[in-house]
Amino acid sequence: MRKLLVVVVIALAAATGFAVSTLKAQAARNVEALMEYVRVHGRRLAEHGDISIKLFPPSVEIADITIPDDEQFANDKIFSADRVRVYPKLLPMLFGRASAAAVSVYGAELRIVRTPEREVNVGTWILGSAAERDARLGVPLRFSGMTLVVDDRSSYGGDHTEFNDIELELEPVGEDGTNSFELSAGAGDNADALFARGTLRRLPEATDGTRIDATFRIDSLAAVDIQGLLLDHPDLALSGSLDLEGEAHGHVGSYDGEEKPAEPLDITIKGRGGFTALGLEAPLDVDAELAIKKGQVRINRADFAWKNINARATGWTHTSADEEVSVKIVFEDVDTDPLLAEYSVSEQWRPRMTVSGEVKIVGPAEKPRFHYEASATDFSMDFFEGLEIEMDSLEALGVVLAINAEIAYTSDAEGLRVGHMVVGPAHLAGRYWKNKLTVGMHESDLWGGIATIQAAYRPGEEKGADGSIRFDDLDAAQVLDQVFPSLADRLRGRVDAIMRFGKEGDGEWGRGRLGVHRGSWSGLDLAGALMRELVSIDGLEGLAGARISPGGEPGRTDFSATKLDFESGDEGYKVGGIRIDMGDITLMGSADVDDEGVVDAGVAFAFDADASGRAVAAAPVLSGLRAGDGLVYVPARLSGKLAELSVAIEESFKTAISRARAGQAVEPFVPSPDDHDLGLDLATLEEVYGR
């Protein structure tokens, strides 16, 4: 019995040895065939090391397999493996037959290269066509400890991404042409970042492709670890940790047959990741349905939630950056106040409104254009203390991330109100660029005339604002009705103005030029008050019959033009260059106006040539006060509230009259324009409006 057992063992050993030897020879032939296949499909001849037999467990091992890459990709190798082991079936070995039970690949590395011309080095040559792959893959194929390197040298992506610790199990093809797979992979410090499971089935030869039915999961994958696969934009990027799950069902591969067109690859994704927009990072919730066909990614539906923004995207894009994209993102009822507060925008500089609209992303995928249309309700913003801007509704359209602006827009506003001013319908335009918001209202109808307003606001660390206003032929009564309602019935005429304003730190400033034409000021009779003061002076009683400026209604100043310059000060305004043409008398001067509206003005009343002649004829004592230009100038002071100004002739003028009556020589009063000039760096009203 013992001899029989020894014979059996020797026979089994011999059969096993023969089978293992046969398996080694078969493995060598298969490896050489694979090398030849690689060469025929355009790669340089692949290389491998020793082929050896391992007894525990029984297997054949091929060491150091390397497949070089084409020279155009500047890549040493596209695929390498430390070792490949072929495990035989044990029972056939007892009868001297070699039959593989499984193949394991250890320490493999696959390098995918994308050139600046967007050519990719990976093709069907790795596994061949579906038919060739099925013919070879008759046993389970397992990759253990595999690394996938993506080297993207195009401008569309980043530059380098690695997935490590990849475990891939691919079962042999069944009778129905289907084989199952399971994959896990790590990225960065996360060894369990990716997991996928599903089936692959070869499609009819006309499509030369594969159907995939799979589920996948991404767990706590750091966005920075796959940054090379993402669109690199300085202001918009995925960030933080990604947690996603989804399914993929459909076709991948080429489309060679029209009789049997393949279905697209439908993908569903749901989960959360981080998203950073203009420096603000927050969780982004995603629920999307996609379809991929012929390199086009169609977004059937993608719902997003970020901060207080809920949006839905539809459209299509491409896997290639030089192809066109067209994506529409719709959002509704976004409250801008808490969102801008997250960006640390102070309440003073924060527009408050509820916005709905859509953003369209169109153009080349590498550098698309962002167009938007939006509507807002209940807009309000308080740029300056006590000067709140409000709008009932706002319709806007423009471009985001344009060549010369991060945001550009034009808009139509209804119910526009600025402080107490009701503007009504207005057309606005502006842009946000380099942390500066510019707004403008160009030649809009306002208060019976035309208004152009431009302003720039800097909400960043160097908070500030500046702007300009032009009023062209406005109705003075309507202006005062909105700005100073208590004075609305006092002023009549047409208003021209050019102004600049601003805010730096805690201080505000303003300066400008103002003109009122063909008007009147009720409740204030400057010429009448002057004449009453003059006739009360000894020696000037005769002026009462000189018929100087007798026109107009009592208690009213009629003028052909009023012009002045103004500039804000620490406690009110300085007013200079005042000129009021009242027929045969013109007022010139400057003034200080405090925060309470109290005026203190030093002025000179100038009689024109005819009036000066009549005055001297009626009061000869004035002949000595006639200036070189033949005119009589009377210095005076105006004081009091604007609506209740009083006129007082300067004592120096009264003294000069007394000296002239005594036969003494006197110097005429001649005002210097420089005495009343504020030196504003602004164009004149004549230069701007021609009047």
Side-chain angles (χ1 to χ4, degrees):
M1 184 67 180
R2 181 178 297 175
K3 292 181 178 180
L4 178 61
L5 182 59
V6 171
V7 172
V8 171
V9 170
I10 293 174
L12 290 176
T16 301
F18 176 75
V20 171
S21 177
T22 304
L23 182 63
K24 177 180 178 182
Q26 180 180 338
R29 289 193 301 270
N30 288 342
V31 168
E32 294 302 332
L34 177 60
M35 301 301 101
E36 176 64 15
Y37 172 78
V38 171
R39 184 190 66 79
V40 170
H41 282 75
R43 297 298 190 265
R44 298 192 300 271
L45 185 62
E47 303 169 353
H48 65 86
D50 295 337
I51 300 177
S52 59
I53 296 176
K54 305 295 181 182
L55 295 179
F56 300 101
S59 60
V60 175
E61 182 175 285
I62 304 107
D64 300 326
I65 291 181
T66 301
I67 302 177
D69 204 352
D70 283 350
E71 295 181 357
Q72 71 184 86
F73 295 103
N75 189 31
D76 291 340
K77 57 187 177 181
I78 188 171
F79 179 83
S80 65
D82 293 341
R83 52 197 173 95
V84 176
R85 276 195 175 186
V86 181
Y87 297 92
K89 294 180 180 178
L90 295 179
L91 187 58
M93 287 179 62
L94 300 179
F95 299 96
R97 296 195 305 270
S99 179
V103 177
S104 295
V105 182
Y106 299 94
E109 180 179 277
L110 175 63
R111 301 183 68 90
I112 299 176
V113 174
R114 191 173 193 231
T115 69
E117 294 75 26
R118 302 183 179 89
E119 295 181 353
V120 181
N121 64 340
V122 176
T124 58
W125 65 272
I126 296 178
L127 292 177
S129 66
E132 291 170 320
R133 185 193 65 227
D134 293 347
R136 291 195 302 274
L137 193 58
V139 296
L141 177 61
R142 294 178 175 85
F143 289 85
S144 182
M146 181 177 174
T147 299
L148 172 63
V149 179
V150 180
D151 188 4
D152 191 347
R153 302 166 188 167
S154 69
S155 58
Y156 185 49
D159 54 0
H160 192 82
T161 303
E162 289 191 13
F163 295 95
N164 49 53
D165 298 326
I166 297 175
E167 301 291 328
L168 172 61
E169 296 185 7
L170 194 59
E171 296 299 324
V173 178
E175 293 182 359
D176 61 351
T178 300
N179 55 295
S180 61
F181 71 91
E182 185 172 297
L183 178 146
S184 64
D189 297 330
N190 186 354
D192 301 312
L194 304 171
F195 178 81
R197 174 189 290 132
T199 61
L200 305 173
R201 181 168 61 87
R202 180 173 60 85
L203 291 177
E205 189 173 343
T207 62
D208 188 23
T210 301
R211 178 176 176 85
I212 294 180
D213 291 282
T215 60
F216 58 88
R217 185 179 70 248
I218 298 176
D219 292 327
S220 303
L221 174 61
V224 67
D225 291 333
I226 58 170
Q227 194 64 43
L229 300 178
L230 306 177
L231 178 62
D232 184 18
H233 191 279
D235 296 319
L236 304 173
L238 289 178
S239 57
S241 178
L242 306 180
D243 293 280
L244 303 171
E245 61 181 21
E247 297 183 6
H249 301 279
H251 171 271
V252 292
S254 62
Y255 286 68
D256 295 333
E258 297 182 359
E259 296 180 359
K260 297 180 180 179
E263 299 175 358
L265 178 63
D266 294 319
I267 301 176
T268 59
I269 300 175
K270 187 174 184 179
R272 166 174 284 198
F275 183 69
T276 300
L278 301 175
L280 180 61
E281 180 180 3
L284 174 69
D285 293 317
V286 180
D287 185 357
E289 296 177 356
L290 313 175
I292 301 177
K293 187 174 182 180
K294 292 186 177 181
Q296 184 185 85
V297 181
R298 181 163 293 279
I299 304 172
N300 296 327
R301 176 192 59 82
D303 294 326
F304 303 95
W306 185 79
K307 286 298 184 181
N308 64 333
I309 300 176
N310 293 289
R312 168 166 289 191
T314 57
W316 50 267
T317 181
H318 276 80
T319 56
S320 177
D322 54 359
E323 297 288 348
E324 295 289 312
V325 302
S326 178
V327 177
K328 181 172 72 173
I329 302 174
V330 179
F331 55 92
E332 294 183 353
D333 300 330
V334 177
D335 186 355
T336 62
D337 189 58
L339 181 62
L340 293 177
E342 292 277 3
Y343 279 103
S344 300
V345 178
S346 64
E347 187 172 358
Q348 178 182 5
W349 301 90
R350 195 186 309 160
R352 300 173 292 277
M353 56 184 162
T354 301
V355 182
S356 299
E358 64 181 42
V359 176
K360 294 180 179 178
I361 307 172
V362 296
E366 185 176 10
K367 294 182 179 180
R369 301 181 304 277
F370 295 74
H371 298 270
Y372 69 89
E373 296 183 15
S375 60
T377 57
D378 302 324
F379 176 99
S380 64
M381 189 172 184
D382 192 359
F383 292 123
F384 299 95
E385 184 176 355
L387 188 63
E388 186 174 26
I389 298 177
E390 299 176 296
M391 283 175 270
D392 294 335
S393 64
L394 181 70
E395 299 288 337
L397 57 89
V399 181
V400 181
L401 304 177
I403 295 176
N404 60 349
E406 294 176 22
I407 301 175
Y409 70 91
T410 61
S411 58
D412 292 301
E414 295 288 340
L416 174 61
R417 300 177 297 280
V418 182
H420 297 292
M421 301 180 289
V422 178
V423 179
H427 182 71
L428 310 174
R431 69 177 183 175
Y432 181 80
W433 190 33
K434 295 184 178 180
N435 203 30
K436 182 169 73 172
L437 174 64
T438 303
V439 298
M441 182 178 74
H442 182 65
E443 294 187 353
S444 295
D445 294 336
L446 178 68
W447 302 326
I450 301 296
T452 297
I453 302 174
Q454 293 181 332
Y457 306 96
R458 299 178 296 279
E461 294 183 1
E462 299 180 0
K463 292 182 174 62
D466 60 82
S468 64
I469 298 175
R470 289 188 177 186
F471 291 153
D472 183 358
D473 202 32
L474 273 58
D475 180 7
Q478 294 186 48
V479 175
L480 288 182
D481 184 56
Q482 299 296 325
V483 182
F484 301 109
S486 61
L487 302 178
D489 296 332
R490 298 293 187 94
L491 183 64
R492 294 290 183 270
R494 310 299 298 183
V495 177
D496 295 331
I498 52 175
M499 293 178 276
R500 293 192 60 83
F501 60 88
K503 181 179 178 66
E504 301 292 341
D506 296 330
E508 299 176 2
W509 58 269
R511 64 179 67 97
R513 303 189 193 278
L514 176 68
V516 184
H517 305 275
R518 306 180 304 279
S520 63
W521 186 267
S522 299
L524 178 64
D525 183 3
L526 290 175
L530 171 66
M531 296 309 297
R532 287 190 293 272
E533 284 286 307
L534 286 174
V535 298
S536 66
I537 299 175
D538 291 341
L540 301 181
E541 298 87 352
L543 293 176
R547 303 187 312 280
I548 299 175
S549 190
E553 298 180 3
R556 189 181 78 183
T557 297
D558 294 320
F559 54 84
S560 60
T562 294
K563 295 181 180 180
L564 57 86
D565 297 342
F566 66 88
E567 185 173 30
S568 62
D570 294 336
E571 298 179 354
Y573 285 88
K574 291 187 176 297
V575 183
I578 301 173
R579 183 182 178 92
I580 304 176
D581 295 326
M582 300 173 288
D584 47 15
I585 296 179
T586 298
L587 181 148
M588 298 174 291
S590 60
D592 291 320
V593 183
D594 66 17
D595 293 335
E596 301 297 326
V598 176
V599 177
D600 180 22
V603 301
F605 289 90
F607 292 22
D608 68 10
D610 290 341
S612 295
R614 294 195 300 273
V616 170
V621 70
L622 289 173
S623 61
L625 292 174
R626 204 165 186 174
D629 56 7
L631 306 184
V632 174
Y633 295 91
V634 180
R637 298 205 70 81
L638 308 181
S639 59
K641 290 279 190 177
L642 186 61
E644 302 171 351
L645 284 177
S646 62
V647 178
I649 294 176
E650 294 281 7
E651 289 298 323
S652 59
F653 182 82
K654 295 179 180 179
T655 300
I657 294 296
S658 297
R659 293 178 59 191
R661 291 181 62 201
Q664 300 178 21
V666 294
E667 289 289 333
F669 292 92
V670 181
S672 171
D674 294 338
D675 294 340
H676 309 298
D677 185 12
L678 298 182
L680 300 184
D681 184 19
L682 295 172
T684 66
L685 295 175
E686 289 81 1
E687 291 172 337
V688 176
Y689 302 112
R691 56 181 179 272

